[in-house]
Amino acid sequence: MSATADTPRTAVVTGANKGIGRGITRRLAELGMRVYLGARDEERGLAAERELRADGLDVRFLHLDVTDETSVAQAAKRLEEEVSHLDALVNNAGVGGSALPPSQVPVAEVRRTYETNVFGVIAVTNALLPHLRRSPAGRIVNISSVLGSLTHAAALEDPTGVFPPGVFPALLEYNTSKAALNAVTVTYANELRGTGILVNAVSPGFVATDINGHRGVLTPEEGARIPVLLATLGEDGPTGTFVGEDATPTGQQLSW
Ligand SMILES: NC(=O)c1ccc[n+]([C@@H]2O[C@H](COP(=O)([O-])OP(=O)(O)OC[C@H]3O[C@@H](n4cnc5c(N)ncnc54)[C@H](OP(=O)(O)O)[C@@H]3O)[C@@H](O)[C@H]2O)c1
């Protein structure tokens, strides 16, 4: 490892060229972190990097397609060369689904969604864990959704108030991929208990981004609030929790 011991606090955010990921990148960098802005498309990644660096932030484009093992390995290698450790990994990259009734969804669509929302998170986490283990306070934040909650789906009840009582969209690929991501979160949290690495899932709220045709009500910066809190938790912070955006300072605990 050629990185020096005086590397600043460092974070990686996946899918950070736009939307909530860019909001998280901005807020972490404003807190003084060096943030690697993960993006699968070089042009879009560099454009976002330019925009944030113009505001004086230490943001560096990191080429990272979470579904491409070579890309993931190259990103891990670059970090190995540039930083002594990684303090926060925000697994934000995500895709929506077809919005078809579950019984009509082609299984290929389900696989495609899981490649990014589930397998991509596992691939990136495993590749970057050695870097996180070298941090005195490694944090992993998985950007999930209340739509991944089995408890709330079964009760047809959305505790975040986006959908009226009795309505819970049945989005097969998206909801089940986020439910799997929630399971991934708890599983890593349990493996890493006692190591100092805290692993939590977030539902960022209903945010106006491309994924929902900008129908959300929060800005990406507002949606970044809870992810940033969890990415910068103190050493006595929680692990294995699922936190949703709300009006309170630390968000609401959601049921899995
Ligand atoms: N918006 C909401 O209301 C809401 C609510 C709950 C949860 N979420 C979650 O929040 C996260 C961010 O979504 P968003 O709302 O900000 O949507 P968005 O604006 O569509 O952003 C999604 C990001 O993920 C990236 N991405 C997709 N596939 C990727 C891959 N294979 N490798 C690397 N990056 C990839 C996209 O890159 P490209 O630009 O290259 O496509 C984009 O940067 C997602 O996990 C989403 O499920 C959003």
Side-chain angles (χ1 to χ4, degrees):
M1 184 178 59
S2 60
T4 57
D6 61 357
T7 303
R9 283 168 64 230
T10 303
V12 168
V13 182
T14 68
N17 53 286
K18 66 180 182 182
I20 299 169
R22 187 168 55 187
I24 295 168
T25 300
R26 172 180 286 284
R27 289 181 75 133
L28 289 175
E30 285 171 351
L31 292 174
M33 294 182 94
R34 173 189 296 178
V35 188
Y36 284 87
L37 179 158
R40 60 178 162 176
D41 180 89
E42 185 172 356
E43 208 173 300
R44 291 196 287 273
L46 285 172
E49 179 200 61
R50 264 195 308 280
E51 185 193 307
L52 294 169
R53 287 187 76 88
D55 291 340
L57 302 172
D58 185 359
V59 170
R60 299 166 188 220
F61 164 59
L62 177 68
H63 191 248
L64 179 53
D65 181 336
V66 304
T67 64
D68 178 342
E69 284 184 30
T70 305
S71 169
V72 172
Q74 283 171 350
K77 184 164 177 291
R78 176 165 162 212
L79 288 176
E80 184 77 24
E81 289 163 2
E82 292 188 15
V83 296
S84 59
H85 62 273
L86 179 64
D87 300 293
L89 165 62
V90 183
N91 287 306
N92 166 79
V95 292
S98 62
L100 290 167
S103 55
Q104 293 172 28
V105 175
V107 72
E109 272 301 299
V110 184
R111 287 204 180 93
R112 189 188 66 81
T113 307
Y114 275 56
E115 282 297 339
T116 304
N117 294 4
V118 185
F119 307 140
V121 172
I122 295 171
V124 172
T125 302
N126 288 348
L128 299 191
L129 250 184
H131 303 60
L132 286 158
R133 286 184 192 277
R134 289 196 288 268
S135 165
R139 306 288 176 255
I140 299 173
V141 182
N142 293 331
I143 307 301
S144 182
S145 166
V146 70
L147 294 175
S149 165
L150 300 182
T151 306
H152 295 300
L156 291 178
E157 147 211 285
D158 169 16
T160 67
V162 172
F163 304 104
V167 175
F168 201 93
L171 304 171
L172 180 70
E173 309 95 293
Y174 190 74
N175 293 11
T176 65
S177 72
K178 294 300 189 183
L181 177 60
N182 287 351
V184 166
T185 304
V186 176
T187 306
Y188 276 90
N190 286 344
E191 179 188 346
L192 294 169
R193 274 177 207 276
T195 66
I197 299 177
L198 306 176
V199 189
N200 293 288
V202 182
S203 181
F206 193 34
V207 182
T209 66
D210 286 350
I211 211 170
N212 54 32
H214 293 263
R215 282 176 287 117
V217 294
L218 301 178
T219 66
E221 283 71 25
E222 289 167 338
R225 189 178 76 92
I226 301 292
V228 168
L229 269 182
L230 292 178
T232 55
L233 282 173
E235 64 182 21
D236 54 356
T239 195
T241 67
F242 185 20
V243 186
E245 171 64 35
D246 70 1
T248 65
T250 52
Q252 61 176 314
Q253 293 298 317
L254 296 174
S255 300
W256 296 111

